[in-house]
């Protein structure tokens, strides 16, 4: 089949899905498909914008087209808004003028509008559409405040409902996400497939050494949050927990990444030397930082678990890093950690429970060693790259079979 993969970010850009999409594209090429990716120049973080990639190139048989966008920052909402609509619009016309595409697969960036433009364009050229939902919008945007305007929220919800119903398959990450979609009035109920994200291999040809300033000092117990430091995570509770642990001088809290909540967290930390902030790093460095850490934080704002499943979970597990999860007890993520004995689950926004869990973990080295082994085991069995890619491969095999049956 001729497959088009669509996402704003693509390798060597640095969000997890950018690298994941390259792995998916390579797998589909190996399966015998003709694969093309349409994306943008690197722009996920400020450091990524320094990298200018070819506008068109071929990597391992994958044709890649990158669109240039306006350079944006958090202070310039105009360029961000233009880019929000410009990329989906370019994709729409690109699909419409390439009528030989058999399957279009789009993820959720920019949210809602990219999926909608791909769904409509795929319908116009009579191709299949796969909606790969990393999270559910506009619900996530509503909780973060991005889509809090009632009119905008309702409009985006209608557009995303159309995208889901036009899709041959809607790929989601958890049962919680599936249940949330089923609560949408008018949703089609027979096109969901749960395929969680997989752990990523290091794509760089040369493994860089971790800079000394990021290395953990000997006899230090490190708690790490790695990823986008946004409004979803309720990370203030962990800073407050560190205040409760002020007598434990060998415990440190590290934030690895950037995001909208970074400056407010720095202010809340108020110069606490046991709380460190590392800038966003490429995958090979981030993985080494995770490997050295003793606990990996996964924390979500109330109700976000219904619409997302953090990919950092898989990153921690693949490096044998036990989890410290702060999320509602009724969530699949909470139960997942408890059932598989891969860390500690606490209720969100509760510094006392967080502090007690950290102390328990620090003072139980044998237990932590066992938990670390469980993490590696669960990663290999449920979230390995080969396992995830095979799931995606089977999905496209099913579409190919259906397409051939329809042609008979």
């Amino acid at each position: 089949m001729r497959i088009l993969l669509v996402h704003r970010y693509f390798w060597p850009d640095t969000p997890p899905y950018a690298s994941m999409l390259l792995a998916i594209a390579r797998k589909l090429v190996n399966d015998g498909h003709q694969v093309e990716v349409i994306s943008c120049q690197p722009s996920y973080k400020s450091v990524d914008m320094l990298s200018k990639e070819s506008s068109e190139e071929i990597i391992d048989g994958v044709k890649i087209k990158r669109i240039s966008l306006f350079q944006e920052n958090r202070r310039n909402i105009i360029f961000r808004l233009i880019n929000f609509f410009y990329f989906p619009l370019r994709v729409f016309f690109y699909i419409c003028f390439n009528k030989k595409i058999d399957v279009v697969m789009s993820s959720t960036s920019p949210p809602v509008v990219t999926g909608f433009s791909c769904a409509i364009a795929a319908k116009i050229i009579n191709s299949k559409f796969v909606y790969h939902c990393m999270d559910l919008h506009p619900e996530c945007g509503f909780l973060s405040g991005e889509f809090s305007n009632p009119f905008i929220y309702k409009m985006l919800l209608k557009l995303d409902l159309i995208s889901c119903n036009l899709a041959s398959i809607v790929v989601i990450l958890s049962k919680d996400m599936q249940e949330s979609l089923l609560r949408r009035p008018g949703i089609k109920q027979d096109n969901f497939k749960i395929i969680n994200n997989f752990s990523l291999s290091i794509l760089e040809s040369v493994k860089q050494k971790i800079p000394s300033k990021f290395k953990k000092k000997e006899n230090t117990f490190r708690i790490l949050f790695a990823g986008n430091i946004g409004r979803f995570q309720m990370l203030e509770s962990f800073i407050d927990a560190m205040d409760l642990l002020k007598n434990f001088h060998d415990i440190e809290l590290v934030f690895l990444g950037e995001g909208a909540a970074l400056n407010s967290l720095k202010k809340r930390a108020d110069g606490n030397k046991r709380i460190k902030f590392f800038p966003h790093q490429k995958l090979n460095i981030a993985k080494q930082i995770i490997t050295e850490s003793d606990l990996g934080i996964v924390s979500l704002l109330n109700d976000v678990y219904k619409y997302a499943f953090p990919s950092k979970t898989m990153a921690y597990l693949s490096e044998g890093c036990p989890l410290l999860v702060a999320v509602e007890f009724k969530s699949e993520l909470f139960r997942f950690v408890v059932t598989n004995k891969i860390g500690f689950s606490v209720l969100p926004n509760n510094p006392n429970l967080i502090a007690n869990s950290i102390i328990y973990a620090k003072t139980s080295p044998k237990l932590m060693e066992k938990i670390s082994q469980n993490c590696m085991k669960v990663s290999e069995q449920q979230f390995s790259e080969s396992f995830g890619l095979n799931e995606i491969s089977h999905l496209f095999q099913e579409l190919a079979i259906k397409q051939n049956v329809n042609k008979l």
Side-chain angles (χ1 to χ4, degrees):
M1 294 192 300
R2 290 153 296 189
I3 300 170
L4 177 66
L5 307 178
V6 180
H7 192 254
R8 172 171 170 173
Y9 306 107
F10 184 72
W11 185 86
D13 220 340
T14 54
Y17 194 77
S19 296
M20 190 181 301
L21 197 60
L22 176 58
I24 290 171
R26 284 171 166 168
K27 173 62 176 173
L28 294 176
V29 168
N30 290 336
D31 287 346
H33 302 292
Q34 298 177 38
V35 182
E36 186 173 1
V37 173
I38 183 166
S39 186
C40 297
Q41 289 290 340
S43 58
Y44 185 64
K45 299 294 182 184
S46 55
V47 67
D48 299 325
M49 296 177 189
L50 301 176
S51 174
K52 183 75 173 179
E53 300 297 322
S54 299
S55 58
E56 293 188 12
E57 65 176 329
I58 297 176
I59 299 177
D60 296 336
V62 182
K63 292 179 62 177
I64 300 156
K65 180 178 177 61
R66 295 185 179 90
I67 297 171
S68 295
L69 299 180
F70 289 101
Q71 188 165 342
E72 60 184 49
N73 56 58
R74 298 191 180 279
R75 296 179 181 179
N76 196 327
I77 192 172
I78 300 299
F79 285 161
R80 288 176 61 199
L81 192 60
I82 292 173
N83 289 341
F84 185 84
F85 291 103
Y86 178 67
F87 175 66
L89 191 63
R90 284 285 301 271
V91 170
F92 174 82
F93 286 111
Y94 185 80
I95 295 172
C96 288
F97 286 101
N98 288 269
K99 297 184 179 181
K100 293 183 178 181
I101 298 171
D102 296 309
V103 182
V104 178
M105 185 173 85
S106 168
S107 189
T108 45
S109 184
V112 180
V113 289
T114 303
F116 180 74
S117 66
C118 289
I120 297 298
K123 180 71 174 177
I124 290 173
I125 67 171
N126 197 32
S127 71
K128 302 288 185 182
F129 173 56
V130 176
Y131 199 10
H132 198 180
C133 295
M134 292 294 98
D135 39 33
L136 299 183
H137 283 281
E139 292 93 339
C140 276
F142 178 81
L143 292 173
S144 71
E146 189 176 7
F147 302 139
S148 58
N149 181 284
F151 174 77
I152 293 176
Y153 175 77
K154 290 180 181 178
M155 179 184 67
L156 292 177
L157 190 60
K158 289 180 180 179
L159 294 181
D160 205 61
L161 178 65
I162 293 172
S163 302
C164 289
N165 285 341
L166 286 177
S168 298
I169 298 175
V170 179
V171 179
I172 46 184
L173 309 184
S174 67
K175 291 181 181 178
D176 288 332
M177 292 175 68
Q178 179 174 321
E179 291 172 2
S180 296
L181 280 176
L182 290 174
R183 285 194 290 268
R184 289 182 177 179
I187 192 72
K188 185 178 174 181
Q189 299 189 23
D190 61 351
N191 63 344
F192 302 134
K193 190 171 184 65
I194 298 175
I195 303 176
N196 213 318
N197 291 335
F198 49 84
S199 58
L200 296 166
S201 61
I202 296 177
L203 298 173
E204 289 81 359
S205 58
V206 179
K207 185 175 179 180
Q208 295 174 262
K209 288 186 177 180
I210 181 172
S212 58
K213 61 182 177 181
F214 298 149
K215 290 186 72 66
K216 186 180 75 169
K217 293 181 180 179
E218 191 176 356
N219 298 322
T220 297
F221 190 88
R222 174 178 284 180
I223 307 108
L224 173 72
F225 176 88
N228 184 58
I229 304 174
R231 303 182 183 93
F232 290 154
Q233 286 89 10
M234 293 182 71
L235 295 171
E236 296 82 2
S237 300
F238 291 85
I239 291 179
D240 295 342
M242 288 297 289
D243 290 336
L244 298 175
L245 297 170
K246 58 186 177 182
N247 293 328
F248 292 84
H249 303 292
D250 55 348
I251 296 177
E252 69 176 14
L253 171 62
V254 171
F255 293 97
L256 173 63
E258 302 174 16
L262 178 60
N263 289 334
S264 64
L265 288 179
K266 285 183 176 180
K267 289 180 180 178
R268 197 179 190 98
D270 194 26
N272 189 329
K273 293 182 179 180
R274 294 182 301 119
I275 302 176
K276 300 178 180 179
F277 295 88
F278 296 163
H280 180 78
Q281 299 296 311
K282 289 188 176 182
L283 180 63
N284 55 359
I285 297 296
K287 275 181 168 284
Q288 293 176 73
I289 295 173
I290 292 172
T291 301
E292 285 195 345
S293 300
D294 299 285
L295 283 174
I297 294 172
V298 182
S299 179
L300 293 176
L301 188 71
N302 287 338
D303 287 337
V304 171
Y305 77 88
K306 298 176 183 177
Y307 314 111
F309 196 102
S311 59
K312 63 175 61 65
T313 306
M314 293 76 196
Y316 295 143
L317 293 177
S318 67
E319 303 307 308
C321 180
L323 304 180
L324 177 54
V325 172
V327 67
E328 288 105 311
F329 73 92
K330 55 187 175 182
S331 68
E332 184 178 348
L333 179 56
F334 189 105
R335 298 190 301 271
F336 171 70
V337 173
V338 173
T339 301
N340 289 282
K341 299 179 180 179
I342 52 176
F344 306 89
S345 292
V346 300
L347 297 178
N349 200 26
N350 194 319
N352 285 296
L353 284 178
I354 292 171
N356 289 337
S357 296
I358 293 171
I359 294 172
Y360 184 63
K362 181 183 180 300
T363 55
S364 307
K366 290 186 178 179
L367 173 64
M368 293 297 288
E369 184 178 348
K370 178 61 177 176
I371 290 175
S372 179
Q373 292 171 359
N374 290 343
C375 289
M376 299 288 284
K377 183 178 178 181
V378 169
S379 176
E380 182 62 30
Q381 291 178 344
Q382 301 184 39
F383 305 113
S384 68
E385 185 170 313
S386 59
F387 180 85
L389 290 178
N390 284 334
E391 290 285 295
I392 296 291
S393 177
H394 292 155
L395 181 153
F396 280 93
Q397 287 175 18
E398 291 173 9
L399 288 176
I401 292 171
K402 289 180 182 178
Q403 185 184 54
N404 291 332
V405 169
N406 291 335
K407 288 180 179 179
L408 295 177

